[in-house]
Amino acid sequence: MYGHNNFTLVANMMIGIKKAVDSVLEYPEVRAEDYKIVSKFYIVPWAVLNDKENMTKFRNCKFVDYAPQVFHNIRRIFKIKTHEYARALGPEQLLAAYKGNFMGFTELASTGKSGSFFYYSHDSKYVLKTVSKEEFHFLRTILPEYYKHVRDYPNTLIARFYGCHKIIFYKSGIGRSKNFRFVIMNNVFSTGKRIHSRYDLKGSTAGRQVLEDPNAKIDATIARKELDLKGEGRKFKLEREQRRFLLEVIKNDSIFFEKNNINDYSLLIGVHNTEGEESGRPGMQHLMADHNTIRMSSSAALIVRRCRANLVGLLRRH
């Protein structure tokens, strides 16, 4: 149940995001010192009426924005306009939707098995996700290499990170403060096309099956695996140029993974059937990725799995 506490947390995160985004200056290129910049500012803790008693325990709230110029340039690489980004993730949309209940909020929020909290922006383009300290620091560690990669290969299928933040609630009187580290990523399945099925492909068959019966019905949000794909007899047909392009992108991304000691990743595919929503065979395939991978492409997307507390942990709901 996603109630007062998570709503209050997201509201304060959004207040901080709005202020942080509005404070970023325009630079044509990232400088070496930009990776080390940490912007900090205080905001007055906000709470919904029903959560006032809990929030009185906190005297103030500090928002921390990491490498703001770097992430600003990453957003620019992916053609994200600052004012649209700020509007989608600012508090106005969230507070406007609040009418004394949390029905609308619960439709946009979820909690993964690991305890990570997800929130989808109202336009469904972005995902806000809380992460562990280890995942958070690993992303910051590889940020210079990550930025260079998305700059040099803007068609990359690797996760798109648009912001890296922390929010700290300081308690009144004696007591420990509460820290929440979170990232902002794109929601790849934000599309006008319905995704009828998903596949998580690693190129292996060991333990790579979800369905015992290939004809069994399955929730479209659950990703099937290699043996499921084989049992269905389904194949993905790409034009020669599409195939060449996709393999080249995957090759470049794989080099990035190897360079940064990320050695466990897979291809997450979303299929839209153009032959009819009830058709079992795919027509033209739109290959995308969901919020767990945080990356988008017109053809396909990679998902990186957890590997020794590396960046990949950010990409899993477990």
Side-chain angles (χ1 to χ4, degrees):
M1 184 69 181
Y2 316 110
H4 308 150
N5 292 341
N6 283 339
F7 188 95
T8 297
L9 172 62
V10 171
N12 284 281
M13 286 177 170
M14 288 184 160
I15 292 171
I17 291 169
K18 180 67 163 59
K19 184 174 180 179
V21 171
D22 290 344
S23 301
V24 177
L25 300 175
E26 291 285 345
Y27 288 109
E29 185 55 87
V30 170
R31 303 162 301 180
E33 58 267 31
D34 289 331
Y35 295 102
K36 301 178 182 179
I37 292 178
V38 178
S39 175
K40 305 177 183 179
F41 53 85
Y42 287 91
I43 58 177
V44 178
W46 182 93
V48 296
L49 181 61
N50 295 331
D51 201 27
K52 291 290 186 182
E53 182 178 351
N54 178 55
M55 288 305 293
T56 55
K57 300 176 183 177
F58 300 96
R59 54 185 170 85
N60 57 28
C61 173
K62 183 164 69 175
F63 191 90
V64 187
D65 188 16
Y66 293 87
Q69 192 61 48
V70 178
F71 285 103
H72 172 77
N73 279 38
I74 289 174
R75 296 193 295 270
R76 187 168 60 182
I77 289 172
F78 294 122
K79 297 179 171 52
I80 296 175
K81 296 180 180 179
T82 298
H83 70 279
E84 293 178 352
Y85 181 77
R87 182 170 64 244
L89 291 167
E92 296 83 3
Q93 297 291 336
L94 179 69
L95 301 182
Y98 172 64
K99 303 184 189 319
N101 64 70
F102 300 93
M103 292 303 294
F105 177 72
T106 58
E107 293 175 357
L108 299 171
S110 64
T111 302
K113 294 180 181 179
S114 66
S116 294
F117 173 74
F118 297 85
Y119 175 79
Y120 298 83
S121 62
H122 280 266
D123 61 4
S124 78
K125 291 182 179 180
Y126 308 103
V127 180
L128 182 158
K129 180 178 185 274
T130 59
V131 296
S132 71
K133 183 177 180 180
E134 292 75 20
E135 294 165 341
F136 191 82
H137 287 307
F138 182 74
L139 174 58
R140 293 188 61 200
T141 298
I142 69 166
L143 186 56
E145 291 296 331
Y146 176 80
Y147 173 75
K148 292 176 184 177
H149 186 77
V150 300
R151 180 197 62 193
D152 296 341
Y153 303 101
N155 289 318
T156 177
L157 305 177
I158 295 177
R160 296 185 178 183
F161 293 93
Y162 298 144
C164 183
H165 313 285
K166 181 168 68 174
I167 190 167
I168 308 170
F169 293 96
Y170 293 99
K171 286 190 174 183
S172 300
I174 300 176
R176 298 183 62 182
S177 60
K178 296 185 68 174
N179 295 267
F180 297 92
R181 297 172 178 83
F182 67 100
V183 294
I184 299 170
M185 309 169 294
N186 69 312
N187 176 17
V188 181
F189 280 148
S190 174
T191 171
K193 301 293 184 181
R194 177 181 175 185
I195 303 301
H196 294 88
S197 55
R198 307 182 189 196
Y199 297 89
D200 178 17
L201 308 178
K202 294 171 60 70
S204 170
T205 57
R208 304 294 296 169
Q209 186 171 17
V210 175
L211 299 175
E212 294 183 4
D213 179 1
N215 297 316
K217 294 259 184 175
I218 185 174
D219 188 329
T221 63
I222 297 177
R224 308 173 199 190
K225 300 182 180 180
E226 280 83 354
L227 293 180
D228 301 308
L229 182 64
K230 183 178 180 180
E232 294 168 356
R234 170 174 280 182
K235 295 182 180 180
F236 302 116
K237 184 177 180 180
L238 297 175
E239 298 295 334
R240 179 176 298 179
E241 183 58 26
Q242 290 177 322
R243 180 179 183 275
R244 184 203 64 76
F245 173 79
L246 178 59
L247 291 178
E248 183 66 21
V249 172
I250 291 176
K251 175 184 176 181
N252 292 330
D253 288 346
S254 298
I255 292 173
F256 169 83
F257 294 145
E258 180 181 13
K259 186 175 182 179
N260 289 279
N261 193 32
I262 301 173
N263 57 15
D264 189 5
Y265 48 91
S266 59
L267 183 71
L268 183 63
I269 300 174
V271 177
H272 169 73
N273 299 332
T274 59
E275 297 179 1
E277 293 193 350
E278 300 304 320
S279 171
R281 296 179 58 195
M284 186 164 198
Q285 294 138 11
H286 299 262
L287 310 180
M288 303 178 186
D290 72 347
H291 72 274
N292 295 326
T293 65
I294 327 33
R295 37 192 167 251
M296 181 191 317
S297 171
S298 60
S299 55
L302 290 173
I303 179 171
V304 184
R305 293 186 175 278
R306 180 159 188 146
C307 172
R308 289 178 284 192
N310 282 353
L311 166 68
V312 294
L314 299 175
L315 312 180
R316 298 294 293 165
R317 294 186 67 175
H318 305 310

